[in-house]
Amino acid sequence: MRPVVAEVLAELGAQLDDLVMVTADARALSERFERRHPARAIDVGIAEANLVGVAAGLARGTRRVVVAAMAPFLLRRAAEQIRLDVCRPGLDVTLIGVGGGLSYGSLGATHHVTEDLAAMSTMPGIRVYCPADVHDAAWAVRDAVLGRGPAYVRLGAREDQLVYEEHDDFSAERPRLFGGPAPVLIVTTGPTVAEAIEAMAAGAPAQVLAMTTVTPFPTRAILELACAARAVLVVEDQLAVGGLASRVASVLAGSWQGQFAALNVDDRPAPPRDRDGLFQFYGIDAAAIARKARELAFRPERA
């Protein structure tokens, strides 16, 4: 996603005279912007709390700001500054976190951030995006920067399977639906979208709802589609607590009587594997999704 997003940011810099890019050693995202707009590019080094503080100061001075850093360090080291300096005053700051979830694979626990979507979604007044591929990421970054107020865009750090076409009609309000009506509705976001579509293509009796915009949450769309299915399966590269599964379950509670299940990351320490290997280890890959969808589709109805 990084090369495509880097070009999008450089183009936005030409479109918006007030756009400034502030990074913490995120050269892959900032190099093109800096080359074309050198007076509006700042690298603070590996100092994420300072990074967000500088961005907040610029935004208070009527600048529109893009922040770019590695997701695990941006979230954990600058949470206070994100909440109090950027989100509480509702500043025009777009935070781009590279390598959310299990994206950094074999780099291990220090680089995994399986709570970023949940944690960022709790920030006041923020918009949260989790794109599935490069085309989705390009749209998400444009929508985040051109919108008003704080936003977080989570990018992958490795190559992702293509899910969309370049000129697809993306929307913040309408999640994308893949496949026709089916017994199981799979709700997913980010890198597990491709896994769910692969499971569906392999014969899983499912329809896939792919969410790029995680916050604001598409409550109505999920409830309407769930009512047409006998089971809902949530798949995510996040921890269960506060993640997509928790939010979908709260939408369905009291309004829907079908079966509900979730596949997500558990508390076991991650072995030294790449992202695909970690998806297999935690049971969120295409094969695990297909097995669970078939189990739900053919499980007897509750009395």
Side-chain angles (χ1 to χ4, degrees):
M1 294 181 180
R2 281 175 286 191
V4 170
V5 169
E7 182 60 29
V8 168
L9 292 170
E11 292 171 359
L12 286 168
Q15 179 182 343
L16 303 168
D17 292 338
D18 63 341
L19 183 64
V20 179
M21 188 166 184
V22 189
T23 64
D25 196 32
R27 300 295 298 166
L29 284 177
S30 65
E31 195 168 14
R32 297 184 198 187
F33 187 99
E34 183 176 358
R35 190 164 58 245
R36 299 182 203 178
H37 319 289
R40 290 185 277 138
I42 303 169
D43 189 338
V44 304
I46 303 174
E48 286 78 11
N50 290 344
L51 169 74
V52 177
V54 169
L58 289 165
R60 283 188 178 276
T62 71
R63 292 285 189 169
R64 201 183 292 245
V65 185
V66 170
V67 167
M70 293 174 68
F73 310 129
L74 177 64
L75 170 63
R76 296 184 182 129
R77 295 177 179 172
E80 179 182 5
Q81 287 75 19
I82 292 170
R83 174 172 289 277
L84 299 180
D85 296 348
V86 170
C87 291
R88 277 295 177 202
L91 301 180
D92 292 334
V93 176
T94 296
L95 305 154
I96 298 179
V98 179
L102 297 167
S103 187
Y104 278 116
S106 57
L107 291 181
T110 57
H111 286 62
H112 297 164
V113 56
T114 50
E115 71 279 13
D116 63 324
L117 298 180
M120 286 296 189
S121 292
T122 66
M123 298 293 180
I126 200 169
R127 291 165 290 132
V128 176
Y129 302 81
C130 185
D133 70 5
V134 294
H135 304 313
D136 203 10
W139 170 81
V141 169
R142 288 192 187 96
D143 196 70
V145 173
L146 294 173
R148 308 306 300 191
Y152 172 66
V153 183
R154 183 233 250 195
L155 301 184
R158 301 291 182 259
E159 188 171 354
D160 295 280
Q161 297 180 51
L162 287 179
V163 171
Y164 300 102
E165 299 292 334
E166 183 176 1
H167 301 293
D168 276 355
D169 182 22
F170 295 96
S171 169
E173 291 78 27
R174 299 188 311 276
R176 187 65 59 88
L177 199 58
F178 293 88
V184 180
L185 175 68
I186 300 175
V187 182
T188 186
T189 188
T192 49
V193 169
E195 301 289 337
I197 292 173
E198 183 179 335
M200 183 181 68
Q207 189 175 37
V208 177
L209 183 67
M211 293 172 50
T212 300
T213 305
V214 176
T215 302
F217 202 66
T219 299
R220 180 175 296 179
I222 289 173
L223 190 54
E224 288 176 355
L225 288 166
C227 288
R230 63 173 293 176
V232 171
L233 173 61
V234 178
V235 183
E236 57 186 327
D237 64 339
Q238 294 277 286
L239 295 168
V241 176
L244 194 59
S246 297
R247 300 181 74 180
V248 173
S250 69
V251 167
L252 301 178
S255 304
W256 180 74
Q257 299 300 317
Q259 301 178 80
F260 179 84
L263 299 175
N264 37 41
V265 178
D266 57 44
D267 291 330
R268 289 175 295 165
R273 300 182 185 178
D274 63 13
R275 189 185 69 178
D276 291 344
L278 291 174
F279 277 22
Q280 183 179 22
F281 175 78
Y282 287 113
I284 55 175
D285 62 335
I289 295 169
R291 286 194 299 270
K292 193 64 177 181
R294 292 189 185 100
E295 175 191 327
L296 291 169
F298 299 112
R299 182 184 294 170
E301 295 279 2
R302 290 180 295 184

